[in-house]
Amino acid sequence: MNSSVLVIGLDGATWKVIDPLIKSNKLPFLAKLKKQNLSGISQSTLPPLTPSVWTSFLTGVNPGKHAIFGFLNYRKENQHFFTNADIKFEPITKQVKSYVSFGNLDGLIKIAGTQTQKITVDDLIASAKVKADKFKKFLAKNPETKLSFVLFKEVDVAQHLLWGTRQLADFYQQLDGIVDDVYSYYQNQTRKQKTFIIVSDHGFHKAAKVQFSIYPWLTKQLAQTHESRQLVWNIIHVVNKFLKDAGLDMGKVGFVKDRRNKFVDNLEKERTSGLAKDFGIRATFEGLYFYNSKISKTLLVNRLTKLKYEGKAVFEIVKPADKVYKGAFYDQGPDIVFMPSQDIHLNISPIETNIFSKYETQIPADHMSDINGIYMMNTQNEKLASLPTKISIVDFRPIISDLLGVSKPLGLDGVSPLTNYSLLDQKILQTKAILLTALNKYKEHLGIAFTGRKDSLVVMHMLRQVCQENKLNMPIILFIDHGQHFAQSYMFLKSIAKKWKLNIIWENTEIQRNETLAESKIRAIEDSVSKHSLVALVTAIRADEAPARKKETFFSDRKTHTRVHPILKFSEYDVWEYIKRFNLPYNPLYDFGYRSLEERKTTTKVGDYKKPERAGRDKQKEKVMQSLRKLGYF
């Protein structure tokens, strides 16, 4: 595809500043761009920290998959700045051969905080011009460049230091001319189908006047927890005295005595630890990290959510990590993720003693509580006209991939309106045709093995559609239960059965003496086929899952029945595209790094999407898959 994309990153740019300047005719280029093209809000990651957000922009995934949660890696013994080596998901800049990057957009901006030294508008504009000139010189020598980035970090610095002043308007006005110059040069230099994107990583807001210091607040929570535990001990003491007076001394019972003594020892340790010095929690701007803390995370989430100052909530968002992040690395960031309201400044200094105090600062603006950045897009692709006015920062990766005609990797969180579903549509039609053939051919002697996993879910969804469209009865639905599934798998299976009104027959199987789990499943399958007089059984295997399945056919004869494999030609990518396209519910374990589910004791996470899908499965069973399939395994 003969296309190119230029991305201008305006770090921290916000409509709060741009719109008033457009109305006052200060920004002619941005005004024209917004009026004639697509524009809206680019929603940041949580929390809106530069390294995390730009990494999500480049990778198309949330921090739970790329593992960059802020500036510093607090999970390491020796905390350090995140670097490119820490990114766990391949960015688009590794995929596109011809690209140029300026302003560290392809890496991580390693800054400890906002610059406080005196910086003038002239300094910022001079810096921006240098970046623009470098880009133009590069493009002149490399006109076939497909993907270009120019990041103006100067916007973030200007807003931090010049918020609410005429100097900020002056800065934006001059920057408008620089961006116009870069755009014009780009349009004239390249002959490809061009797309020009302006995007920011987060918004901005006026600095708060009130400061909330979290460490003294945490100390108070631990003190209250200690008092509650002391109350429990007092109650135990009273009950013990009552029982002793009645002739029963529970202190003489070994188990109770040991527990009671341990309880008392822990109380003494808490009482003498100084509470604030060692409660096992690290407070950061992105949230709270727990290190063997005794305090309940749920308790803190509830208390922080309800926390108010002068009748207003202190935090706009407070959630446990598993409610914010998805992916194998969701637990490498903060355990509790929060974002303070714009009226509150979060202080993470451990030496502060007052919980609430006046916030005194020389920096008039901040961005820690504004996840709404901006986007503008000039493109010749008509399909992007359907782009909503609010999109996620992770959507840009798949959009750029589609614009450039490059493949999208498995595991993307972002979505693109340009996605071509024609190939998937063909596979869907093929699958439905196979299911309809099986339903008409085998009638009441057809069964389906249903596990509730992603592949099985897709087959069941299409099977229900085929039955409804053709007014046919659903086949017998079997779930082979060996008792080794994850608890979440059982819960999801029950919930989807209720939601979709599935009459699932649970076939329980126990491992017999000298029998492996796989062998017990094979026996259970054959027993179920015989028990329900089945002539054919629908399964959800795919040819790309394992070498032993590559030579399979849609209808495969066994000794006792025929196997029907309707999604045999689907890929793992196809399965997830189907699930996202039709918004299907799915087992939550897939959100936390599990790509293929089986027995809970032998299934592990696979955070690297370059590894095989079944890399987290029982390796011994995978080695003998061909032999197992000959015996009757799926």
Side-chain angles (χ1 to χ4, degrees):
M1 182 179 290
N2 192 28
S3 302
S4 69
V5 174
L6 168 61
V7 178
I8 296 290
L10 299 183
D11 202 280
T14 172
W15 293 120
K16 295 175 187 175
V17 174
I18 293 175
D19 277 343
L21 292 176
I22 286 177
K23 289 181 181 179
S24 60
N25 299 317
K26 299 288 187 181
L27 309 176
F29 174 70
L30 292 183
K32 180 181 178 181
L33 195 66
K34 184 179 181 183
K35 183 178 180 180
Q36 297 180 356
N37 299 282
L38 302 170
S39 66
I41 291 172
S42 170
Q43 199 160 48
S44 177
T45 56
L46 189 68
L49 289 171
T50 291
S52 179
V53 184
W54 284 124
T55 305
S56 286
F57 174 86
L58 289 167
T59 59
V61 299
N62 78 96
K65 291 181 181 176
H66 63 58
I68 307 299
F69 294 90
F71 292 102
L72 292 168
N73 187 344
Y74 293 102
R75 290 297 180 192
K76 297 289 185 181
E77 290 185 10
N78 298 317
Q79 66 182 41
H80 65 267
F81 281 108
F82 281 114
T83 67
N84 287 350
D86 294 310
I87 302 175
K88 303 299 184 183
F89 198 98
E90 188 172 82
I92 191 171
T93 49
K94 297 289 186 181
Q95 185 184 16
V96 179
K97 292 182 179 180
S98 178
Y99 80 96
V100 59
S101 174
F102 291 105
N104 292 327
L105 187 57
D106 65 326
L108 297 172
I109 302 164
K110 296 171 28 172
I111 58 173
T114 305
Q115 302 177 54
T116 56
Q117 66 266 34
K118 293 294 183 180
I119 296 179
T120 66
V121 170
D122 290 342
D123 293 332
L124 295 171
I125 292 300
S127 175
K129 285 182 176 179
V130 169
K131 291 177 184 177
D133 289 342
K134 284 184 178 180
F135 169 68
K136 289 191 295 182
K137 288 179 181 178
F138 181 93
L139 197 61
K141 294 180 180 180
N142 304 274
E144 296 304 308
T145 299
K146 296 190 69 175
L147 178 59
S148 305
F149 294 92
V150 181
L151 175 64
F152 293 105
K153 180 65 183 172
E154 293 80 3
V155 179
D156 183 275
V157 177
Q159 290 180 160
H160 268 300
L161 303 180
L162 305 174
W163 188 268
T165 67
R166 291 183 179 179
Q167 290 98 313
L168 183 60
D170 182 29
F171 166 79
Y172 260 99
Q173 192 169 7
Q174 293 187 58
L175 184 67
D176 183 76
I178 294 173
V179 176
D180 184 7
D181 180 52
V182 169
Y183 172 74
S184 299
Y185 192 86
Y186 169 68
Q187 291 287 76
N188 294 330
Q189 192 70 16
T190 62
R191 298 179 180 180
K192 300 178 179 181
Q193 184 178 10
K194 297 175 284 291
T195 297
F196 178 65
I197 299 172
I198 291 181
V199 61
S200 67
D201 54 340
H202 51 68
F204 245 84
H205 57 87
K206 185 179 179 181
K209 296 181 179 180
V210 177
Q211 175 174 272
F212 168 68
S213 299
I214 195 163
Y215 272 110
W217 181 85
L218 284 170
T219 300
K220 183 177 179 180
Q221 307 314 303
L222 183 59
Q224 291 175 351
T225 302
H226 176 85
E227 291 169 2
S228 299
R229 289 165 62 82
Q230 183 68 57
L231 177 62
V232 172
W233 165 240
N234 290 339
I235 293 172
I236 291 175
H237 180 72
V238 171
V239 172
N240 182 46
K241 186 177 184 302
F242 173 80
L243 294 174
K244 191 173 183 179
D245 292 343
L248 299 171
D249 186 2
M250 71 175 184
K252 293 181 179 180
V253 180
F255 172 77
V256 176
K257 184 177 180 179
D258 291 343
R259 285 297 180 90
R260 184 180 67 177
N261 290 342
K262 188 174 182 180
F263 193 98
V264 174
D265 289 343
N266 286 338
L267 280 175
E268 286 304 312
K269 289 179 181 178
E270 289 177 6
R271 183 183 290 113
T272 58
S273 68
L275 299 179
K277 294 181 180 178
D278 186 27
F279 44 57
I281 298 177
R282 176 70 177 263
T284 69
F285 287 119
E286 53 263 40
L288 299 178
Y289 288 79
F290 280 63
Y291 306 99
N292 301 317
S293 175
K294 296 184 180 71
I295 301 181
S296 164
K297 296 175 187 176
T298 302
L299 177 68
L300 283 189
V301 167
N302 291 336
R303 289 185 179 179
L304 286 170
T305 300
K306 296 176 182 178
L307 186 62
K308 295 183 183 296
Y309 179 77
E310 294 184 348
K312 295 182 179 180
V314 172
F315 288 92
E316 186 175 332
I317 298 172
V318 182
K319 293 181 179 180
D322 61 359
K323 300 298 182 184
V324 177
Y325 304 126
K326 297 179 180 180
F329 309 103
Y330 82 97
D331 55 357
Q332 297 302 299
D335 295 280
I336 295 178
V337 184
F338 50 46
M339 186 176 78
S341 70
Q342 294 187 12
D343 296 325
I344 299 292
H345 172 75
L346 177 65
N347 177 27
I348 58 173
S349 171
I351 62 174
E352 182 63 53
T353 57
N354 296 319
I355 296 177
F356 289 102
S357 59
K358 182 179 179 181
Y359 179 48
E360 298 179 353
T361 178
Q362 296 179 346
I363 301 175
D366 198 359
H367 63 78
M368 287 304 301
S369 300
D370 194 345
I371 61 173
N372 293 324
I374 71 161
Y375 85 82
M376 287 181 270
M377 193 178 301
N378 173 285
T379 179
Q380 296 166 295
N381 196 307
E382 295 180 355
K383 290 184 178 180
L384 279 175
S386 62
L387 203 64
T389 55
K390 179 180 284 190
I391 62 175
S392 172
I393 195 76
V394 298
D395 293 333
F396 287 97
R397 163 72 181 274
I399 289 173
I400 293 172
S401 294
D402 285 336
L403 286 168
L404 295 178
V406 297
S407 61
K408 288 175 288 191
L410 185 68
L412 288 181
D413 293 323
V415 295
S416 166
L418 301 178
T419 298
N420 185 356
Y421 288 114
S422 59
L423 184 58
L424 180 60
D425 285 336
Q426 292 175 21
K427 293 182 180 181
I428 291 172
L429 290 173
Q430 184 182 51
T431 298
K432 287 186 173 182
I434 292 168
L435 289 171
L436 182 59
T437 298
L439 285 163
N440 288 327
K441 183 176 181 179
Y442 303 111
K443 296 182 171 55
E444 69 273 13
H445 297 294
L446 177 68
I448 177 172
F450 184 61
T451 63
R453 299 173 199 152
K454 63 182 190 302
D455 309 297
S456 187
L457 192 72
V458 168
V459 173
M460 183 60 74
H461 184 256
M462 281 190 267
L463 178 62
R464 291 173 67 244
Q465 289 181 332
V466 171
C467 288
Q468 291 169 5
E469 292 166 0
N470 296 276
K471 297 181 180 179
L472 298 171
N473 294 325
M474 285 285 288
I476 294 171
I477 306 173
L478 302 174
F479 172 58
I480 308 298
D481 183 16
H482 47 58
Q484 302 294 316
H485 296 287
F486 286 92
Q488 293 92 329
S489 297
Y490 286 115
M491 291 174 63
F492 177 73
L493 191 64
K494 291 177 181 178
S495 68
I496 198 66
K498 183 178 180 180
K499 183 180 180 67
W500 285 357
K501 299 178 181 180
L502 304 176
N503 184 21
I504 301 176
I505 299 174
W506 288 56
E507 296 288 5
N508 298 310
T509 179
E510 294 183 1
I511 302 177
Q512 296 179 357
R513 189 175 182 180
N514 298 324
E515 186 181 51
T516 66
L517 182 58
E519 289 169 343
S520 73
K521 289 173 66 176
I522 294 169
R523 175 174 49 78
I525 294 167
E526 294 300 326
D527 289 348
S528 297
V529 167
S530 175
K531 178 181 176 181
H532 299 286
S533 302
L534 300 181
V535 177
L537 184 67
V538 178
T539 75
I541 71 165
R542 306 191 326 267
D544 72 328
E545 287 182 291
R549 292 173 174 169
K550 289 188 180 298
K551 294 182 180 180
E552 266 293 0
T553 56
F554 292 119
F555 292 87
S556 179
D557 291 333
R558 298 294 194 269
K559 291 180 181 180
T560 59
H561 64 285
T562 298
R563 293 280 175 84
V564 183
H565 307 134
I567 61 167
L568 189 65
K569 300 303 181 183
F570 270 57
S571 65
E572 184 185 6
Y573 185 89
D574 292 331
V575 169
W576 282 113
E577 282 297 296
Y578 187 96
I579 290 172
K580 286 196 290 186
R581 182 178 179 183
F582 295 100
N583 195 28
L584 303 188
Y586 55 85
N587 190 321
L589 287 173
Y590 289 116
D591 283 340
F592 303 114
Y594 293 93
R595 288 171 58 196
S596 183
L597 296 174
E598 188 47 82
E599 295 84 19
R600 62 179 181 275
K601 294 181 180 179
T602 58
T603 304
T604 58
K605 298 179 181 180
V606 184
D608 186 351
Y609 285 87
K610 291 182 178 180
K611 290 183 178 181
E613 176 185 2
R614 294 168 70 92
R617 289 285 199 101
D618 182 351
K619 292 179 174 54
Q620 183 58 35
K621 189 180 78 174
E622 294 300 301
K623 288 181 181 179
V624 297
M625 177 63 77
Q626 184 64 47
S627 299
L628 290 174
R629 299 204 74 250
K630 288 180 180 179
L631 293 173
Y633 196 77
F634 291 139

